[in-house]
Amino acid sequence: MKITENAREQIGAQLAAAAAQALTEDLASQPRALLVVSGGSTPLPFLRRLAEQPVAWSRVDVTLADERWVHEDHVDSNARLVRETLLTGRAAAATFHSLITSDPTPEQGAATVAARLATLPWPASLVVLGMGNDGHTASLFPDSGELSLALSTDDSVVAVRAPSVSQPRITLSAARLHDARRHALHLVGDAKKAVLAQALSGDDVRELPIRAFLTCPLTLYWAP
Ligand SMILES: O=C1O[C@H](COP(=O)(O)O)[C@@H](O)[C@H](O)[C@H]1O
């Protein structure tokens, strides 16, 4: 295994241990706990490791920070990623809440998804955010016409279209993503480290939407 792969496995394992601890702590004083995870490529080692953790998974709800509006068996589906990595082994007992409906567009499905999310035990025990090289997190894209709405609305979810991505998306709003006891930012690679440094040195959220979460407080899990 290469050194970077090893470091990425290790940081994924550290985040998995922290997520398990957060869920276990909260489950000691509440009947159910909620975990919000991100999609994309970065979370794979984290989700695989988390699936092995000893948590009372039958009392855990899991949902996503955002989703591409594709069928759940599509290669780009974040739900598929969660089902194939996290919802295996011990964590198969968790209850997953998808951000997708059978509606043809996220605009048509958003109300159904919001109603689904309203049944979950907020605040989440942990929201795990990722970040793209353009500073987007969840589906809060700098070039999206819906960015201002997603940053300001009290609604749970927002349908998003952005020139930089091919598929329509649905994202938890900034307000909903803030509604957690703990936040983690999971990044790999020097390019993302540089974007984070840039985000920390300015304050225009529309330029780098990750800035909306830098004061959560946010625990950084980074590997080269
Ligand atoms: O599109 C997305 O991108 C970011 C980062 O993805 P990665 O592949 O670079 O890890 C992710 O956090 C977000 O949830 C996802 O939908």
Side-chain angles (χ1 to χ4, degrees), residues 62-78:
V62 178
T63 193
L64 283 156
D66 70 316
E67 181 61 285
R68 299 103 196 256
W69 203 259
V70 294
H71 194 272
E72 283 201 16
D73 60 11
H74 192 283
V75 67
D76 293 331
S77 165
N78 287 336

Side-chain angles (χ1 to χ4, degrees), residues 36-76:
V36 180
V37 296
S38 287
S41 56
T42 304
L44 254 85
F46 157 60
L47 295 172
R48 285 197 184 115
R49 298 292 186 121
L50 183 55
E52 301 161 8
Q53 292 284 326
V55 172
W57 286 109
S58 61
R59 294 164 56 205
V60 173
D61 294 291
V62 178
T63 193
L64 283 156
D66 70 316
E67 181 61 285
R68 299 103 196 256
W69 203 259
V70 294
H71 194 272
E72 283 201 16
D73 60 11
H74 192 283
V75 67
D76 293 331

Side-chain angles (χ1 to χ4, degrees), residues 38-43 65-66 68 78 129-132 136-139 141 169 192:
S38 287
S41 56
T42 304
D66 70 316
R68 299 103 196 256
N78 287 336
L129 296 172
M131 185 186 75
H136 85 265
T137 189
S139 283
F141 289 95
R169 306 259 188 136
K192 290 191 181 181

